[in-house]
Amino acid sequence: QVQLVESGGGLVQAGGSLRLSCAASGRTVSRYTLGWFRQAPGKEREFVAAMNWSGSRILYADSVKGRFTISRDNAKNTVYLQMNSLKPEDTAIYYCGEDLTNVVLTTASAYDYWGQGTQVTVSS
């Protein structure tokens, strides 16, 4: 059983940056797709970014393209989300997930394991 733990969230002003981390333990995640989703109050969990095991396939939501960058360090069993030029509408709880099929998908139901989330709040 894998455990995913997100960190790096916080309060930042609009235009600022944050770097989220998601560390996996229990087994390696190096062979699987890892993704980031977010959920704002009263809204469904939405796709942000995902990357397959090798990094050869990366997808971003249109709302974050050019501002967010997903990366992974398989040796550290960790995936990252660098978030720049943050906007108030980026405020949400951010979750990382693992998809055992290793197909880079944008639907939350495709992911098999989730972390507990980290809060990101962007003030205007």
Side-chain angles (χ1 to χ4, degrees):
Q1 187 85 358
V2 68
Q3 292 80 42
L4 303 174
V5 179
E6 301 94 337
S7 61
L11 173 64
V12 64
Q13 288 189 329
S17 298
L18 284 173
R19 188 193 194 204
L20 305 184
S21 299
C22 174
S25 62
R27 61 162 170 79
T28 181
V29 294
S30 63
R31 294 189 292 271
Y32 305 111
T33 290
L34 296 173
W36 288 96
F37 287 71
R38 65 188 182 187
Q39 189 165 15
K43 295 188 177 182
E44 294 189 354
R45 192 169 295 192
E46 67 170 359
F47 172 75
V48 175
M51 166 186 278
N52 71 342
W53 73 275
S54 66
S56 62
R57 179 163 170 79
I58 299 174
L59 293 180
Y60 293 99
D62 287 343
S63 58
V64 307
K65 278 182 184 176
R67 300 188 299 122
F68 290 10
T69 303
I70 187 172
S71 62
R72 63 192 294 167
D73 185 334
N74 286 334
K76 294 183 178 179
N77 233 20
T78 300
V79 63
Y80 305 96
L81 186 68
Q82 177 66 44
M83 305 187 296
N84 299 328
S85 302
L86 282 161
K87 304 175 182 180
E89 51 264 42
D90 294 318
T91 295
I93 299 174
Y94 282 70
Y95 299 90
C96 70
E98 182 194 34
D99 172 12
L100 297 180
T101 67
N102 206 28
V103 176
V104 181
L105 298 173
T106 62
T107 53
S109 60
Y111 289 72
D112 301 282
Y113 295 97
W114 293 95
Q116 84 291 345
T118 185
Q119 176 71 48
V120 171
T121 303
V122 184
S123 63
S124 58

